[in-house]
Amino acid sequence: MSNFFNFILRRFLLTIIAVFGVIILVFLLTRLLPNNPAALRAGPLADAELIKQYEREMGLDKPLIVQFGTYTGQLMRGDLGDSWRTSQPVREELGIRIPATLELALSAFIIALFFGVPLGIIAAFYSDSWIDQIVRVFATLGASLALFWLALVGVYIFYYLLHWAAAPVGRLTIGINEPPEITGLFLIDSLLAGDIETFKDAFNHLWLPACTLAFIVSAPIIKISRSSMKDVLNADYIRTAKAIGVPPTKLLFKDGLLNAFIPILTMLGIVFGYLMGGNLIVEQVFAWPGIGQYAWKALSTNDFNAVQSFVLLIAVVYVSLNFIIDLIYALINPQIRLE
Amino acid sequence: MSSTQNSIQNIEIKPSVISRSEFLGKIRFFTRFPLFIFGILVILFYLLVVIFGPSLTVYDPTIPNPQYTLGQPNSDYPFGTDKFGRDILTRVVYATRLDLMIALLVASLSFSIGSLMGCIVGYYGGWLDKVIMRVVDVMFAFPAFILAMAITSALGDTVQNVIIAIATAYTPYFIRLTRGEMLTLRTRQYADAAISVGNPSWRVALIHLLPNALTPSLVQMTLVSGWAILDAAGLAFLGLGITPPTAEWGVMVSEGAQRIITGEWWVWLYPGAAIVLAAFAFNLVGDGLRDIMTREEQ
């Protein structure tokens, strides 16, 4: 058991180091901006005096290392600074947008999971058959589709031509009130409030962007499920089991799945991290009021406190997911703890 | 004397006979990977478009034509025209040059820098290895697209900066792959042998070991070419990096996106299809190469 705690402690320290590295990288990246943010904030008509004043206010006149010290100090206190575009605290602005992104990311994740893992396993089980071929072409296609283009094709077919989906303008039709906030996820909140109309409307807005994202991210899930299941099925102990006549379904579900689970889990972590950050494009097409859209607005106005915080948030989500997955590994497979 | 000549003749004859049947065998071997062949053919087609396309088109990719704006596809304009009346087929053809150039430059930049760094840290190890691998870990904490986005916005909107940004985002992949290969290669006997006959260590690392460490990176390079096209177009779609009026696939789709509600589908459909087909081809070739290598090992 002490091995286990050693492992967790080591992983935790590595995670902290990674987060610190991320902070440095993000800080340096945003300070490399060629445009002077103080000048941008002051506007094209401002004189040198006003720009100087803004520079002082934003602390841009101080040496880089001092700026970094101030920045990390703020972060320690959970302060992400103010947005220079809206003058609001970035933490609050991101906070109110996270549920929208989370709802979209979770829906896409669940669809991709229930779709991708079984497809990959079936393909591995009937390896090299026509089923396998079709699944592989499908996965390759998913990996090659440009997200923004797929989103447009979806909107054109399902909104413009068929009217199956709601107009791509956010989470709810204008005029329908948001359900009382409990989880921040409209589908769940509207059900909890017993408001079927709102639920239907939220669903009409959600399913198309969620399916678009799910299509893209199911590709790596299919690929990893197929290859790890194939590895397991080719392993000696499975061949032996097959030879002594263990029924195939038992092989597949009891022995195969658990062992194929670890690489699949890693991929699921990556996919969820990607969904939280990578849906910037989908949020853009569907006018989804999440953190991706916020980041896009911040990028196009050089609001780098906001950009910095978004990138930081995504990286921290990624790193923490990795940490959690490592913990799950260590619980499943004692060998990993020893490394 | 005559016996020596005989044996020499035998040696000379044998390889050519074997190589012919080997050649046929190779052909038969490759026909077992139809998707790989398809991918190669598509990439060849794109290369033909890059070389001959612009001389075959009759319109200009950037000069507006107010007489025929947002025109439906017809025999004069097979892909229709955009809101400025520019021929979409012409713009897709010119964009092929730019997008393929971006793909190849990103792939070769990240490949050469990444493998070189991976080779050095993998062979020498030590503190440099620790530092570089920490940085690689940090870079892996970002989705590649987000990292490329952050770098592009920091550097400014030019084609050159887009290439640098995407190449930087993919360099860690090559560092990791090559380092992993080098870690096993450096313990091989021939590495020790090369050192013991007096080769300097840099020569052993770069000339003797590195070429044998590159196979996984070459597969990765093909995949990265496809991803680079998607990323560059995605950035352009968000208004970052490559900007209008440049003829670039992502820029064109972005211009068409404003037309989604009014139904002018041809403005965004064709440039987007060009992106997807190109990325599909690179992915098929990359996956195919990997399959072929594992089969050959077996």
Side-chain angles (χ1 to χ4, degrees):
Chain A
M1 211 53 197
S2 74
N3 264 339
F4 184 61
F5 284 111
N6 267 337
F7 174 82
I8 293 180
L9 194 68
R10 221 169 45 231
R11 274 298 134 104
F12 185 70
L13 286 177
L14 281 178
T15 306
I16 297 289
I17 294 172
V19 169
F20 193 67
V22 165
I23 292 173
I24 296 177
L25 190 67
V26 169
F27 176 81
L28 286 179
L29 267 181
T30 44
R31 299 302 141 147
L32 287 177
L33 278 171
N35 311 312
N36 180 354
L40 281 171
R41 187 181 164 198
L45 298 173
D47 52 7
E49 194 75 1
L50 185 67
I51 295 175
K52 274 263 153 37
Q53 187 198 328
Y54 274 146
E55 274 182 359
R56 264 196 306 278
E57 254 176 53
M58 295 152 120
L60 292 172
D61 53 340
K62 304 217 175 65
L64 213 57
I65 189 81
V66 176
Q67 287 186 40
F68 182 69
T70 325
Y71 178 61
T72 41
Q74 280 182 343
L75 281 182
M76 293 295 171
R77 278 175 273 124
D79 179 7
L80 296 174
D82 290 350
S83 158
W84 300 343
R85 183 170 55 92
T86 61
S87 309
Q88 298 294 311
V90 173
R91 196 175 108 168
E92 275 174 32
E93 292 204 310
L94 277 176
I96 53 172
R97 285 170 174 82
I98 284 177
T101 297
L102 198 62
E103 183 166 41
L104 185 55
L106 271 177
S107 325
F109 183 73
I110 291 169
I111 299 169
L113 181 67
F114 281 95
F115 191 59
V117 174
L119 266 186
I121 289 174
I122 291 170
F125 209 63
Y126 299 102
S127 182
D128 291 326
S129 70
W130 61 271
I131 299 176
D132 186 29
Q133 296 292 347
I134 290 177
V135 171
R136 288 174 68 182
V137 172
F138 181 81
T140 311
L141 193 65
S144 321
L145 279 169
L147 189 49
F148 53 90
W149 187 71
L150 183 66
L152 290 178
V153 172
V155 170
Y156 185 72
I157 295 176
F158 295 107
Y159 167 68
Y160 183 80
L161 292 179
L162 299 173
H163 294 291
W164 289 359
V169 288
R171 300 173 80 185
L172 290 172
T173 308
I174 298 162
I176 290 189
N177 291 327
E178 291 185 11
E181 185 173 338
I182 301 162
T183 57
L185 313 178
F186 284 0
L187 282 189
I188 295 175
D189 284 354
S190 59
L191 277 187
L192 289 176
D195 187 348
I196 296 299
E197 275 309 300
T198 309
F199 176 80
K200 269 190 192 160
D201 194 61
F203 182 80
N204 277 336
H205 283 82
L206 179 65
W207 73 264
L208 188 55
C211 287
T212 307
L213 277 169
F215 192 17
I216 300 280
V217 298
S218 64
I221 297 182
I222 292 173
K223 278 190 183 169
I224 199 79
S225 308
R226 178 179 172 276
S227 66
S228 44
M229 196 65 198
K230 236 179 123 173
D231 286 349
V232 169
L233 290 177
N234 285 333
D236 290 340
Y237 68 93
I238 293 280
R239 290 187 180 186
T240 313
K242 227 187 244 173
I244 60 173
V246 177
T249 45
K250 185 164 176 268
L251 266 182
L252 185 62
F253 290 107
K254 191 164 169 294
D255 304 307
L257 214 51
L258 192 66
N259 285 297
F261 185 61
I262 287 183
I264 297 177
L265 193 66
T266 309
M267 184 51 79
L268 290 180
I270 294 174
V271 159
F272 194 75
Y274 171 84
L275 281 173
M276 286 300 287
N279 62 19
L280 204 129
I281 284 173
V282 165
E283 287 189 1
Q284 201 51 36
V285 173
F286 289 89
W288 198 260
I291 55 172
Q293 212 190 31
Y294 179 71
W296 181 78
K297 277 188 190 139
L299 265 177
S300 49
T301 51
N302 278 313
D303 180 0
F304 67 64
N305 249 340
V307 175
Q308 200 163 286
S309 307
F310 168 76
V311 177
L312 197 62
L313 178 72
I314 299 306
V316 168
V317 167
Y318 242 63
V319 174
S320 337
L321 278 172
N322 271 333
F323 176 63
I324 294 169
I325 287 167
D326 278 347
L327 286 191
I328 299 179
Y329 286 176
L331 285 173
I332 297 180
N333 186 352
Q335 279 179 344
I336 289 176
R337 293 173 215 163
L338 300 171
E339 266 185 278
Chain B
M1 191 63 196
S2 69
S3 74
T4 338
Q5 262 180 345
N6 259 343
S7 68
I8 288 173
Q9 272 174 350
N10 279 343
I11 291 167
E12 276 172 350
I13 290 165
K14 262 187 180 169
S16 78
V17 172
I18 288 170
S19 81
R20 189 175 299 155
S21 73
E22 236 176 17
F23 179 71
L24 288 174
K26 277 263 191 283
I27 296 257
R28 232 172 284 131
F29 180 74
F30 278 107
T31 54
R32 298 207 332 252
F33 301 94
L35 288 172
F36 172 74
I37 307 259
F38 176 75
I40 294 275
L41 290 179
V42 171
I43 292 175
L44 284 178
F45 170 73
Y46 272 97
L47 288 179
L48 287 179
V49 171
V50 166
I51 298 168
F52 299 110
S55 55
L56 294 177
T57 52
V58 284
Y59 305 101
D60 186 276
T62 46
I63 295 174
N65 168 21
Q67 256 79 54
Y68 196 63
T69 56
L70 288 174
Q72 293 252 12
N74 59 28
S75 55
D76 285 341
Y77 301 94
F79 287 4
T81 63
D82 66 9
K83 65 177 170 183
F84 298 113
R86 297 172 299 198
D87 178 42
I88 289 177
L89 176 60
T90 306
R91 283 174 67 74
V92 168
V93 166
Y94 276 83
T96 310
R97 277 194 168 176
L98 181 58
D99 281 273
L100 246 61
M101 181 192 78
I102 292 174
L104 297 182
L105 281 177
V106 164
S108 33
L109 261 180
S110 50
F111 169 79
S112 40
I113 297 173
S115 334
L116 195 64
M117 287 174 78
C119 171
I120 293 169
V121 301
Y123 185 78
Y124 290 104
W127 64 267
L128 186 68
D129 179 41
K130 287 209 178 72
V131 171
I132 299 268
M133 291 323 283
R134 274 288 148 268
V135 175
V136 164
D137 282 347
V138 168
M139 289 174 82
F140 269 109
F142 301 91
F145 183 73
I146 299 286
L147 192 57
M149 187 186 83
I151 299 174
T152 309
S153 73
L155 293 176
D157 294 334
T158 65
V159 173
Q160 190 192 335
N161 289 343
V162 169
I163 294 170
I164 294 172
I166 304 176
T168 311
Y170 286 119
T171 301
Y173 289 71
F174 294 100
I175 298 181
R176 216 177 237 191
L177 278 175
T178 314
R179 177 181 175 270
E181 291 289 307
M182 288 298 286
L183 285 181
T184 49
L185 284 179
R186 72 172 181 194
T187 60
R188 291 280 174 80
Q189 256 176 355
Y190 76 92
D192 291 339
I195 289 281
S196 66
V197 296
N199 285 295
S201 63
W202 62 265
R203 201 181 139 83
V204 176
L206 292 180
I207 313 278
H208 294 117
L209 300 187
L210 182 60
N212 295 315
L214 290 180
T215 315
S217 294
L218 285 171
V219 173
Q220 191 70 22
M221 200 177 157
T222 320
L223 296 172
V224 164
S225 306
W227 297 342
I229 290 177
L230 292 176
D231 289 339
L235 289 174
F237 180 78
L238 291 175
L240 283 166
I242 306 163
T243 46
T246 315
E248 194 277 336
W249 294 332
V251 170
M252 296 177 70
V253 177
S254 162
E255 284 170 342
Q258 302 150 0
R259 302 273 145 204
I260 190 75
I261 314 283
T262 49
E264 284 100 358
W265 50 269
W266 57 90
V267 185
W268 51 266
L269 187 78
Y270 293 116
I275 298 171
V276 172
L277 187 61
F280 190 51
F282 278 115
N283 273 325
L284 286 179
V285 173
D287 287 350
L289 279 177
R290 187 181 292 150
D291 283 354
I292 287 166
M293 279 160 190
T294 46
R295 289 284 161 94
E296 271 191 335
E297 272 170 24
Q298 285 167 6

